[in-house]
Every structure is written in C-alpha cells, then in structure tokens.
C-alpha cells in the first residue's frame, strides 16, 4: 500500500467530522489516489479504514435538533388570536348565570382545539424532510479492502475506499471515477438533467465546473443506469453534495405566510380595540348612573360587548375555508400538505420552475429527423400525446422522402438495446405480435435509445416485429471512447419473410436490393462523419464530399443550438455474416443515412398556462440544473422568454447582491444552477416583497422548496425529499395545475377578505348601537346574552357561506395583491366603519321610535332588526364591487340556506316561551317583522350605492 499522505484536515466544529472539500474533479485519478493514500488494486487496510472511521465518523446524514412535539403544540396555543379566544372563553364562563349560557364559551374552546390540532398536524409533517433524505441512503456496497472485494454497510464507508459500481447501483458517497466501462449515471435528482451522464476517468478539468459537467465524478444518491466502474470515495456523510443539501434544508427558517401575518396583526388590533371598548362603554354607563346595580350591569355589558367585538368564528371560518379550498385543489390534482399554503398561492407573484418533468415531459423524444436535403419535424398536435411526422399531404417529395425515413427509423430501432413495451392490455394486442400501439407504448432502457424505439413505433415500425424480420447476429457495444454502437442483422430477401405490418415498407423499398447482412451504426455526429464515405440521397448513393460534410455539420449545429441531442446513423452492407475479427473493422466506409434530433419536449398544456400566468400578472421563471441551450430553447417554445438571454450558475457567483436583483428582474432563464443558486434567486425575489413559488422534483430542489413562500413538488417523478420539503404536491406533475391552484388560492383569499369584512362590519354595528343608544337617552339597547347570541348566529353560518363563494370573473385577469397589503386595505376599514354605523343607525332609529311610543317589545325589535340588517349585508358581502343583482341572489345556495337557517333560529328566540325567558325577548307583530325586513332592504340599497361608486372609481 502507498505511504498515506496527510489527509485534508478534519474541521473540529463540523459535527459530521468530514474532510475539507477539494476540487477532486481537477485532479487526475492517480493524483486523487495519492492524495488519499490508497492503491486502487489493494484499497484501504482494515486497520486504516477503522482509524479513518474514528476520525471522520459514519457515512450518514446528521439531523440538527428540530422542534419537539411539545414545542410545536406550544406554538399553536400561543398565537395572538388564540390567546384572545382563550380570554373570550374565560369571560363567557364568568358572565354565564344559567347552564345554557355556557354554550358560547364551549364553542370558543372547541374552535381553539380544532385550530391547534390542525396546525399541530401540519407543522409535524413539515419536520419530515430530513427523514426522507435519510431514506436515500444505500444499505450495502461492494468495496475493495485488504486487496479483496467485500460487501459492507454503506454507513461504514470512509474517504479513500474503493467502491465497485454496476448497473442499478445507487452511488453511496461522492467519489472520483477511477475506471469506467461505459458507465452512465442518472443525476437528475441532483442536477435536473434528464439524460444520463457518461463517466470518464481520464478527464481532468482545469477550471471550475458545474455539478452536471463534472464527468469524472459521481455523487451520493445518484443511480448507475448503464455499464460499470470503480470510484474512490472522496466525501462522506454531510460533506457530500447530498449532505450539503441536507445542511441547506435545515438552515432554512420557516416564515409566516402573508395570511398568518395579516391575522396576527388583526388580532393585535382587536385586542387593543376590545380593551378601549370596555373602558369607553363602562365609563359612559356609570356617568349616567353610579348606583352599585348599574355599575355591575355596565361592567357585564361592557365586557360582553368586548367579547362580541372579537369575531370568535374568524379562525374557525378561515380554517374551514382553507380546508374546503384544499379539497377543491385536490380535485384539480394539487395535494396541499400545509393548510396556510392554500391562501399563499393566491398571492404568488413569481413562479420559479424547474424544467425537467414540470415544464417538460421528462422523457427524451425524437423531435427532428434530418436526411439528405430535408429536415422533418415531429410535432405534437393539440390533444395528442405522441409526436408525429409533419409531412404536408401532397408534398411533392414525399415519394422520395418516405423510403429514406423508413431506413433511418429502422436503423435507429435496430441499432438499439431498449425494449418496446405495449401498454395496451386488450386480448387482441396480446395475441398479435404485429399489433400496433393501440393504447400507449413505452420503452425500457437508456432514455436516448428508448426515444429512437418510440419514434419508429409512432411511424408503425414496431421493434419486436422488426427484430423478428432482421435478427441480430453480431454487435460492437457502445463505449465512451468511440462514442458509437454497431449491430449486424440478417436481412429479409423476399416479401414472404416480412410480417404484414412491414409490407408498406417493402412496397416503397429502395431500387437497390438490400444485401444479405447489414451493419447499422449510431453515434456522435462528428465521429460518424469521420467513418462515412457515402451519403444516402433519396434512394441513391453519393460520395461523401466536403459539401455534404458542411451541409450535415450545419444541420447538426442547428439542432444543437435548440438544445437537442443529435445522433448520426449509418449502415454498411455485407454479402456474408461478418466474423468476429471482421466486426472490429466494420465501422468504416459507412453510408450516412441521416440524423436524429432529440430533446425532452415541453408539455403541450404548459404554454397556455404560461400565458394565463402573464395575464394574471404572475412572472414565470425557469431555474434548472440542465444545459443552458436546452433550457433557453424550451423557455422560448413556452413563451417564458422572447430573447436569447440566460445566466448560468457560474455567472451568478460573480454578481453582487444589487446586480443579482437586477438580473433576476430581467432574465427568465437560469441554467446549470446549484441548490445555493436557487436559494439566492428566491431570496432576491423575496427581498422585493414578492411572493415566490418554487417547483421542483429533485433532491437538489429541496432547500429552495423550503425557502420559497410556497414550495411545489412533483407527485409522480418527485423524490420523497422534495415532497416532504414542499407545501403542495402536484399529483400529475403538471405546471398547468399550479396555475389552476393559484386561481383557487385567489378565490380563497378573496373569500377570507369577504368574511373578515362581514364579521367586523357586524361587530362594528353592535358596538355603535351600544355607544349611540345611551347618548340618545335610551336604556342599554342590547343585553349581554343577546349580543353573544347575535355573534353566534350571524357570524356563523353566513360567514361560512361566504367561504365557498365562487370565483369572480376577473380573478385571473388582475395582478396579485401586494404581500404587504394590510388586511384592511383597498377601502375595507372605511366600509366597516361606514356600513357598521349605517346598520346601527337604522336599528337604533327603529328601536328609538318604538321606545318613545312605549312599545314593551322595543328592545326585541331593535335586536331583530339588527340581525336582519346583518343578514342583508351577508348577501352584499359576496363581492366588493359587483352588484348583487348582477351576481344573482341565488348563485350561492349555501348563503341562501345560511340566511334561512339564521332567520328560523331568530324567530325561535322571539316566539318560543322558554327561549324568551333566557334571552329576555317579547313576541313581535307582523308589522314589526315587516319593519325589520324593510330595514334589511335599506342596507342592501346603501351597499349597492357604495358599490356603484367603487365601480365608477375603478373605471376612472
């Protein structure tokens, strides 16, 4: 074993005990081995491994101490509104003189318990991100120690261990590649790139490289999906890229949503207002009468009114509205994990989206074919899942194009190890091997090869049928040096040897008869040009000269600029089956047939969703770890950007904070970014008081999902880590679902504003009645229990009905409201004061007339009139500007049933004897009920006039 050099020192403050990070990708394999004191063919000795494990600790993620369950529960019970509700419950119990008067206090306590239980459950779920990240750990790995291969727990890996990897293995730690036999690693979870990355041990980089470009490194949590190799472990545990993401996740501080902030402020306003109200009412009362009986009565009355001023139902109604919204979102394929996120969606002003799987289909797809003199696009028509050849009917060149397309697609399907899987389970398809894909088809294997197989299948060339007619008799596997693959097939020499599904191909076959054996080669275009001597041109062979090379290079570069991966395909004929020796020289003097252009294409519905975002004043931004050209091309296709500008992660590192904000506001495409870059971009937006949504599916997205105001994870392709870090999960992985959820969020926020406006207007009217009545020489207009009853019935069912009000017509045609907007913003406070006073004056006026006339039921009439007025307001509160008559009185059926139920309850209080005793009411005549009803109509007229002025001001 080589003499161990001093390893990069342990940082004592690091709980993981990991080594200091080095740019291992800038070291050769030999230098890396030397730096870590290891011989590749021997590995570490058991004693050295034990010493390093004691120094660096286990290969596992370390979880920082989060909040305990008791701390989470405590936080739920110490909010401003919750403390106010506790005070209201205590006062209600103190004021109660009869058993039935305890109802209000128990209702308030039930509301507190419900809210605490919901909040506790949601917060507990939010603490699970690290648990999901730990589940990505690999249980056992094959390593070389003491000169022999052995299997150990991945937890026992140390820096310097030699790990053996093969297809299907999850990489257990970060490492430098020592050997790679066609090893490809799928790194989408870390980088967002949808294509597996070829690993090359010989590469040594001299400059900084983004994670996705370090082709001589492998990273913990990624998957080997082809080939095999050996690596030397360079980082373990928290020092790996996965560990770095864990650190970022745990460093993100959860912040309150805009709604939570607004409700906290509202709670403070109400607490201060209630204290002032107690003092004012009590003072006014004792100034009129200082007798001990009146002082006691005024104390009870003022405290009762203070309780009435607090909308006890507010938190319950908010919770129910959010829950109903979450159910509606679930029907639209959006699963809400944290209830406050429902409303936050409605305030979103920037949607930062990952590319792969969210904006795109997360599958490599052939979207362009290039044959001599022709480039043909494959298009996805509206409503279609598949990409079809876009050859206009009657194309004058169709007869010469089609045979060449046959040959290109056959070549791509045969020189291929992917397997076609038919999803159609009908008996006919199972019994007929030539059955076309009647339902859906997929491919198992390398994503690039799968794309070629599916392209042929869409054209009617099924790989399993094709292989039966063209059996493979030899092959040269792909390797990373040649960057190509060759297969040799026996060809059918007569129609009798062809399945019926391939007969159309035979009927338009080429003038030159196919030789008995064909070798098909596919690979990187540059390499294919170097081994081709002829080119296939519409059924004829032409010499491959400089003009053809220039034309093909131009086509190659054009597709590459669109972010496509381009493969060339060629063939060579043999009159006999090549021997094993001949196979080694088969890749020369090829006939170049054409090029395939492949990309992970945009989802067809996303472009429309992006347009809807822009109409709604929401800015979509792409933040991806994928290649910049690919990202820009997809963004342009979707309408996210109309220019060629993009910024890479390395460029972001060079920007100051001010420059970053300027770029973030101007550029819509950010590529080759790391988890830290995503956090920086989100912070840049949030520093401008913008509400940011972040979508993603990979482990690398988790910190940004936690940091964003609303994190959105993919339900199908998303990792558990991403889902646990997010507030919302898209069950269909569709960006368009986010836009639908934003619409629901806006509706919910509008509805929350509606019932806050309604509840506080009702409470303001009750307060004004109690203040104005004594000033006009009246006794106390409302008794304490009447005030509490009014709160219970008018603040209950009608407020809940406002929570299910349908969306207004312009909900997605206006920009989002500012996150700093006060809960009383846009004229709400003025409305509450004015309409509250109007309702109180109408009620006081009617009660005063009855009182002066000596009517013993004057207080009951005032009480009932105020309730009727508040129910009329509930109808009008359904829209801030739209007329009730334009909305339609009966379009919210829940509101109609709420009003009818409340009216029945009030009539029971007025006419049922034992309730008359409890609430000190007197029966009313039909004239009194008509008066109360007309008072309600008066409120409707006043609010309709208010709305008319609001609409007029909006048009100016």
């Amino acid at each position: 074993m080589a003499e161990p050099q001093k390893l990069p020192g342990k940082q004592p403050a690091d709980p993981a005990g990991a080594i200091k990070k080095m740019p291992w990708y800038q070291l050769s394999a030999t230098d890396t081995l030397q730096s870590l004191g290891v011989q590749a063919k021997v590995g570490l000795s058991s004693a050295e491994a034990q010493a390093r494990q004691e120094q660096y600790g286990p290969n596992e993620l370390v979880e920082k101490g989060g909040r305990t369950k008791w701390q989470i529960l405590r936080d739920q019970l110490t909010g401003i509104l919750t403390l106010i509700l506790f005070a209201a419950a205590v006062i209600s119990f103190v004021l109660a003189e009869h058993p039935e008067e305890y109802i209000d206090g128990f209702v308030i306590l039930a509301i507190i318990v419900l809210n605490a239980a919901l909040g506790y459950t949601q917060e507990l779920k939010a603490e699970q991100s690290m648990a999901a990240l730990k589940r990505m750990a690999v249980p056992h790995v094959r390593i070389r120690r003491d000169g022999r291969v052995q299997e150990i727990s991945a937890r026992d890996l140390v820096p310097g261990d030699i790990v053996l990897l093969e297809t299907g293995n999850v990489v257990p730690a970060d490492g430098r590649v020592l050997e790679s036999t066609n090893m490809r690693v799928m790194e989408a979870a870390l980088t967002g790139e949808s294509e597996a990355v070829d690993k090359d041990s010989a590469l040594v980089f001299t400059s900084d490289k983004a994670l996705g470009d370090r082709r001589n490194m492998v990273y913990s949590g990624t998957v080997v999906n082809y080939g095999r190799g050996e690596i030397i472990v360079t980082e373990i545990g928290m020092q790996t890229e996965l560990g770095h993401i864990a650190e970022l996740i745990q460093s993100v501080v959860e912040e309150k949503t805009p709604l939570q902030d607004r409700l906290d402020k509202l709670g403070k306003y109400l607490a201060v207002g209630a204290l002032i109200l107690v003092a004012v009412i009590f003072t006014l009362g004792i100034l009129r009468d200082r007798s001990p009986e009146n002082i006691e009565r005024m104390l009870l009355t003022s405290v009762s009114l203070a309780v009435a001023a607090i909308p006890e139902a507010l938190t319950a109604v908010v919770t129910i509205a959010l829950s109903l919204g979450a159910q509606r979102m679930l029907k639209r394929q959006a699963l809400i994990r944290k209830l406050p996120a429902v409303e936050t969606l409605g305030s979103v002003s920037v949607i930062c989206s990952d590319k792969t799987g969210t904006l795109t289909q997360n599958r490599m797809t052939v979207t362009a074919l290039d044959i001599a003199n022709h480039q043909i696009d494959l298009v996805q028509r509206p409503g279609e899942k598949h990409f079809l050849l876009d050859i206009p009917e009657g194309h004058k060149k169709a007869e010469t194009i089609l045979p060449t397309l046959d040959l290109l697609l056959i070549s791509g399907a045969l020189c291929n190890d992917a397997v076609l899987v038919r999803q159609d389970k009908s008996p006919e398809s199972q019994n007929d091997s030539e059955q076309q894909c009647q339902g859906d088809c997929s491919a198992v294997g390398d994503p690039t090869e799968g794309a070629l197989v599916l392209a042929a299948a869409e054209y009617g060339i099924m790989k399993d049928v094709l292989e039966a007619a063209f059996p493979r008799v030899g092959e040269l596997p792909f390797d990373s040096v040649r960057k190509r693959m060759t297969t040799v097939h026996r060809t059918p020499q007569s129609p009798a040897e062809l399945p019926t599904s391939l007969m159309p191909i035979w009927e338009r076959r080429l003038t030159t008869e196919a030789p008995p054996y064909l070798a098909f080669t596919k690979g990187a275009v540059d390499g294919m040009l170097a081994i081709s001597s002829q080119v296939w041109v519409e059924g004829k062979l032409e010499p491959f000269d400089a003009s053809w090379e220039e034309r093909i290079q131009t086509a190659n570069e054009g597709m590459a600029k669109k972010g496509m991966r381009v493969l060339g395909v060629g063939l060579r004929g043999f009159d006999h089956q090549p021997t094993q020796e001949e196979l080694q020289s088969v890749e020369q003097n090829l006939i170049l047939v054409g090029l395939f252009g492949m990309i992970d294409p945009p989802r067809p519905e996303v472009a429309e969703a992006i347009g809807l975002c822009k109409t709604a004043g929401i800015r979509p931004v792409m933040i991806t770890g994928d290649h910049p050209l690919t990202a820009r091309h997809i963004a342009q296709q979707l309408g996210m950007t109309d220019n060629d500008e993009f910024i890479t992660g390395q460029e972001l590192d060079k920007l100051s904070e001010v420059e970053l904000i300027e770029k973030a506001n101007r550029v819509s495409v950010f590529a080759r970014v790391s988890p830290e870059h995503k956090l920086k971009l989100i912070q840049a937006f949030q520093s401008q008081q913008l509400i940011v949504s972040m979508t993603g599916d990979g482990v690398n997205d988790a910190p940004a999902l936690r940091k964003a105001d609303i994190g959105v994870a993919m339900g199908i392709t998303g990792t558990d880590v991403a889902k646990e870090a997010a507030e919302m999960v898209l069950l269909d992985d569709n960006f368009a679902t986010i836009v639908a959820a934003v619409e629901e969020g806006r509706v919910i926020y509008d509805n929350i504003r509606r019932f806050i406006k309604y509840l506080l207007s009702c409470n303001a009217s009750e307060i004004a009645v109690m203040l104005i009545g004594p000033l006009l020489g009246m006794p106390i207009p409302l008794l304490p229990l009447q005030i509490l009853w009014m709160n219970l019935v008018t603040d209950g069912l009608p407020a809940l009905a406002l929570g299910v009000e349908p969306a207004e017509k312009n909900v997605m045609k206006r920009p989002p409201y500012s996150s700093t907007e006060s809960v009383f913003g846009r004229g709400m406070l003025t409305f509450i004061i004015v309409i509250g006073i109007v309702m109180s004056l109408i009620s006081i006026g009617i009660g005063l007339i009855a009182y002066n006339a000596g009517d013993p039921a004057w207080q009951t009439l005032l009480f009932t009139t105020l309730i009727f007025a508040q129910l009329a307001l509930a109808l009008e509160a359904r829209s801030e500007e739209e007329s009730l008559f334009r909305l339609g009185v009966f379009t919210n059926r829940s509101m109609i049933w709420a009003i009818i139920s409340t009216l029945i309850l009030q009539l029971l209080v007025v006419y049922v004897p034992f309730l008359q005793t409890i609430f000190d009411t007197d029966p009313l005549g039909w004239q009194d009920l008509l008066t109360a009803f007309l008072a309600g109509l008066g409120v409707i007229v006043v609010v309709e006039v208010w709305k008319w002025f609001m609409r007029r001001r909006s048009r100016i």
Side-chain angles (χ1 to χ4, degrees):
M1 182 172 174
E3 183 69 24
Q5 293 189 5
K6 181 175 174 61
L7 294 178
K10 173 181 173 182
Q11 300 176 24
D14 183 357
I19 61 176
K20 181 181 178 182
K21 278 201 165 184
M22 288 181 65
W24 299 104
Y25 60 92
Q26 295 181 6
L27 298 181
S28 67
T30 303
D31 290 342
T32 304
L33 285 164
Q34 189 175 2
S35 294
L36 291 168
V38 188
Q39 289 182 355
K41 298 305 179 184
V42 178
L44 295 173
S45 67
S46 297
E48 178 64 18
Q50 179 66 32
R52 293 190 184 190
Q53 189 166 46
E54 290 175 2
Q55 181 181 4
Y56 301 116
N59 177 33
E60 64 182 7
L61 301 181
V62 178
E63 188 168 1
K64 294 179 180 177
R67 290 184 301 168
T68 66
K69 293 181 180 180
W70 287 110
Q71 287 172 327
I72 295 172
L73 183 60
R74 181 200 63 195
D75 291 343
Q76 299 304 313
L77 297 174
T78 53
I80 294 294
L81 276 176
T82 304
L83 293 175
I84 292 174
L85 289 181
F86 267 126
V90 170
I91 293 170
S92 296
F93 287 130
V94 170
L95 295 177
E97 297 178 356
H98 305 286
E100 58 272 12
E101 295 176 10
Y102 288 95
I103 293 174
D104 204 53
F106 283 118
V107 168
I108 296 171
L109 287 179
I111 290 170
I112 293 171
V113 171
L114 173 66
N115 287 330
L118 285 170
Y120 175 80
T121 304
Q122 297 291 336
E123 290 294 326
L124 198 59
K125 285 181 181 177
E127 300 289 322
Q128 303 303 312
S129 296
M130 277 301 299
L133 204 55
K134 284 184 172 181
R135 288 197 293 271
M136 294 187 69
V138 187
H140 293 90
V141 293
R142 291 171 63 233
I143 66 166
R144 185 179 293 117
R145 280 186 187 171
D146 299 315
R148 61 186 177 86
V149 175
Q150 51 188 287
E151 188 172 286
I152 67 167
S153 169
R155 187 175 182 274
D156 297 330
L157 282 176
V158 295
D161 264 326
I162 307 297
V163 178
L164 284 63
L165 298 173
E166 58 186 23
T167 302
N169 286 167
V170 177
V171 179
D174 291 3
R176 173 66 163 85
V177 178
L178 300 179
E179 291 183 13
S180 172
T181 305
N182 305 324
M183 186 167 69
R184 299 181 196 168
V185 179
M186 182 59 74
E187 299 178 340
L190 281 181
T191 66
E193 189 162 355
S194 55
E195 188 179 346
V197 180
D198 293 314
K199 296 300 176 179
D200 188 344
S201 61
L203 287 174
V204 179
F205 298 102
T206 57
S207 60
D208 288 343
K209 291 291 180 183
L211 200 68
D213 294 325
R214 300 174 190 172
R215 292 174 44 229
N216 57 5
M217 297 288 295
V218 293
Y219 295 99
S220 177
T222 59
V223 181
V224 179
N225 79 338
Y226 192 87
R228 57 188 172 80
E230 291 185 10
I231 67 166
I232 179 170
V233 174
T234 54
E235 281 100 10
I236 62 170
M238 294 299 287
Q239 285 296 105
T240 63
E241 291 296 331
L242 199 64
H244 182 53
I245 290 171
E247 189 79 31
L248 290 175
I249 290 175
Q250 296 181 95
S251 68
V252 173
V253 179
E254 293 281 345
E255 296 180 358
K256 291 182 179 179
T257 68
L259 178 63
Q260 289 170 324
D261 276 335
R262 287 163 178 152
L263 291 181
D264 278 353
K265 289 177 182 176
L266 177 61
K268 292 173 183 176
Y269 296 150
L270 292 175
V272 173
L275 292 174
I276 294 173
L277 187 63
V278 169
V280 171
I281 296 294
F282 181 72
T283 302
L284 289 175
I286 62 173
L287 286 177
R288 294 183 69 252
D289 183 356
R290 299 189 181 184
S291 65
E293 295 83 4
N294 187 59
I295 290 175
E296 181 181 352
R297 184 168 64 249
M298 287 310 303
L299 180 62
L300 287 172
T301 301
S302 58
V303 172
S304 298
L305 196 57
V307 172
I310 298 168
E312 294 93 343
L314 178 59
T315 52
V317 173
V318 168
T319 301
I320 292 169
L322 294 175
S323 299
L324 292 174
Q327 291 177 23
R328 291 198 299 271
M329 288 182 181
L330 185 59
K331 292 178 182 177
R332 301 179 80 165
Q333 301 299 307
L335 173 66
I336 298 298
R337 294 188 64 256
K338 301 173 187 177
L339 213 52
V342 176
E343 179 275 334
T344 307
L345 275 163
S347 304
V348 165
S349 45
V350 179
I351 297 179
C352 298
S353 178
D354 186 27
K355 177 187 71 69
T356 306
T358 312
L359 301 173
T360 64
Q361 300 178 26
N362 197 26
R363 62 187 181 105
M364 290 298 287
T365 304
V366 175
T367 57
L369 302 173
D370 190 274
I371 54 180
N373 297 323
H374 301 283
Q375 186 170 112
I376 299 166
D377 294 326
L378 281 77
V379 298
Q380 188 174 28
R381 295 188 173 90
E384 294 284 344
K385 180 178 180 180
H386 307 295
F387 283 73
L388 304 175
L389 292 172
D390 186 23
I391 304 177
E393 291 185 18
H395 193 292
K396 65 180 181 179
K397 292 283 188 180
E399 291 304 315
T400 56
I401 288 175
L402 293 178
T404 312
L405 289 177
D406 291 338
L407 189 57
L408 180 62
L409 292 167
I410 287 172
S411 302
L414 286 176
C415 186
N416 199 310
D417 288 330
V419 177
L420 181 69
V421 179
R422 305 165 193 253
Q423 306 294 339
D424 186 10
K425 302 300 181 184
S426 64
E428 295 80 4
S429 68
Q430 298 302 311
N431 297 328
D432 184 1
S433 63
E434 296 184 35
Q435 184 76 19
Q436 306 274 318
C437 287
Q438 297 296 323
D440 194 8
C441 284
S442 62
V444 177
D446 179 81
T448 300
E449 293 197 323
L452 300 179
V453 169
L454 290 174
E458 295 302 335
Y459 193 56
I461 301 173
M462 317 304 290
K463 189 189 177 194
D464 48 356
V465 177
L466 195 61
E467 286 184 321
F470 294 78
R472 185 185 296 191
V473 296
E475 65 180 287
L476 278 177
F478 173 90
D479 68 50
S480 55
V481 177
R482 292 167 28 250
K483 294 186 178 179
R484 54 182 176 264
M485 167 187 181
T486 297
T487 58
V488 182
H489 300 260
R490 183 175 63 81
T491 63
Q493 295 299 299
S494 71
E497 297 183 55
L498 280 174
T500 54
S501 64
L502 295 179
M503 285 305 296
I505 295 174
W506 182 271
E507 291 168 1
R508 59 179 181 248
R509 69 178 296 174
L510 316 169
T511 56
T512 305
E513 292 296 325
Y517 294 90
L518 278 175
F520 298 101
T521 301
K522 76 173 191 296
V525 176
D526 290 343
M528 292 297 297
L529 297 183
I531 59 174
S532 297
S533 59
Q534 293 176 295
V535 62
W536 195 282
V537 184
E538 299 176 3
K540 302 174 186 176
L541 298 179
E542 292 189 9
F544 186 68
D545 55 22
S547 62
W548 276 114
E549 182 173 3
E550 182 182 354
R551 189 254 172 229
I552 293 167
Q553 283 286 22
T554 301
N556 177 32
E557 291 169 5
M559 287 191 277
K561 285 180 180 177
K562 293 180 180 179
M564 295 185 188
R565 181 179 186 189
V566 187
L567 286 180
V569 173
L571 57 83
R572 180 180 175 186
F574 291 88
D575 57 7
H576 64 281
Q577 181 175 337
T579 64
Q580 197 62 36
E581 291 75 17
E582 288 175 319
L583 272 176
Q584 303 307 312
S585 58
V586 73
E587 292 177 347
Q588 56 184 335
N589 298 319
L590 297 187
I591 300 168
L592 188 66
V593 179
L595 309 180
F596 286 99
M598 286 166 283
I599 198 169
D600 180 12
R603 288 175 172 269
E605 66 279 354
V606 170
E608 182 180 352
I610 296 271
L612 189 57
C613 275
K614 291 184 174 181
T615 302
I618 301 169
R619 183 179 169 220
V621 176
M622 182 190 292
I623 304 178
T624 179
D626 209 343
H627 194 280
L629 294 180
T630 305
R632 182 181 65 188
H633 178 66
I634 295 296
Q636 289 173 337
Q637 278 189 295
L638 294 173
M640 295 181 79
T641 182
D642 55 4
N643 57 54
D644 291 338
E645 193 169 4
F646 61 78
I647 293 179
T648 65
Q650 288 177 303
E651 291 169 334
L652 283 175
D653 286 332
K654 300 172 184 176
L655 300 178
S656 66
E657 188 174 333
V658 174
E659 290 172 330
L660 177 61
I661 291 174
E662 188 273 327
K663 291 287 187 183
N665 289 336
R666 184 165 53 85
V667 180
S668 296
V669 179
F670 299 88
R672 279 289 189 254
V673 295
S674 67
E676 297 101 319
H677 297 138
K678 294 181 180 184
L679 284 178
K680 281 184 179 180
L681 286 166
I682 289 172
Q683 289 168 346
F685 289 122
Q686 290 177 333
S687 68
Q688 302 171 74
Q689 306 300 322
L690 298 174
I691 301 299
V692 183
S693 168
M694 173 69 199
T695 73
D697 58 355
V699 177
N700 62 327
D701 296 317
L705 291 173
R706 284 287 292 270
K707 176 63 180 172
D709 297 288
I710 171 81
V712 181
M714 304 298 106
I716 299 173
T717 59
T719 59
D720 287 345
V721 183
K723 293 175 189 176
E724 296 292 353
E727 284 83 7
M728 184 173 86
V729 177
L730 300 183
L731 300 182
D732 58 358
D733 285 12
N734 195 334
F735 182 88
T737 302
I738 303 174
V739 182
V742 168
E743 181 180 354
E744 287 290 350
R746 289 191 175 190
V747 172
I748 289 162
Y749 177 58
D750 288 347
N751 287 346
I752 290 173
R753 270 184 57 90
R754 288 183 182 111
F755 58 69
I756 288 177
K757 178 193 284 189
Y758 168 69
L759 291 177
L760 295 184
S761 297
C762 291
N763 291 359
S765 67
E766 296 160 18
I767 293 168
V769 163
M770 296 298 290
L771 287 172
I772 296 171
L775 295 177
L776 297 177
M778 297 173 66
I780 297 174
L782 296 171
L783 300 177
L785 201 57
Q786 291 174 344
I787 295 171
L788 296 176
W789 169 257
M790 196 178 303
N791 259 23
L792 188 63
V793 294
T794 61
D795 291 6
L797 294 177
L800 286 174
L802 285 172
V804 295
E805 181 68 26
E808 294 196 58
K809 296 175 185 176
N810 70 335
V811 71
M812 290 299 283
K813 295 180 180 177
R814 59 165 175 79
Y817 297 124
S818 170
S819 61
T820 59
E821 177 187 78
S822 165
V823 71
F824 296 117
R826 284 179 280 137
M828 182 191 283
L829 183 60
T830 306
F831 180 92
I832 290 169
I833 294 171
V834 172
I835 301 303
I837 291 173
V838 166
M839 288 193 293
S840 66
L841 290 176
I842 291 173
S843 303
I844 283 284
I846 291 171
L848 184 61
I849 292 171
Y851 173 72
N852 290 334
D855 186 347
W858 70 270
Q859 194 173 54
T860 303
L861 176 58
L862 189 155
F863 174 40
T864 303
T865 299
L866 189 53
I867 284 182
F868 276 43
Q870 291 178 354
L871 293 178
L873 179 62
L875 281 172
E876 284 289 348
R878 291 172 53 202
S879 174
E880 295 201 16
E881 293 187 5
E882 195 76 22
S883 168
L884 172 63
F885 306 104
R886 187 180 293 272
L887 277 177
V889 176
F890 301 101
T891 50
N892 184 341
R893 294 187 178 181
S894 298
M895 178 61 75
I896 299 302
W897 285 114
I899 290 174
I900 291 172
S901 301
T902 304
L903 287 174
I904 291 172
L905 290 172
Q906 178 62 18
L907 292 176
L908 290 175
V909 166
V910 172
Y911 293 108
V912 175
F914 85 91
L915 291 176
Q916 288 176 339
T917 303
I918 294 171
F919 290 96
D920 200 7
T921 57
D922 297 298
L924 298 175
W926 68 268
Q927 299 94 334
D928 294 332
L929 289 178
L930 179 61
T931 301
F933 176 76
L934 292 175
L937 290 181
V939 171
I940 289 176
V941 171
V942 172
V943 179
E944 282 293 320
V945 172
W946 178 281
K947 289 182 178 180
W948 180 82
F949 278 109
M950 290 288 291
R951 290 194 298 272
R952 185 179 179 187
R953 190 176 68 177
S954 298
R955 288 194 294 266
I956 297 175

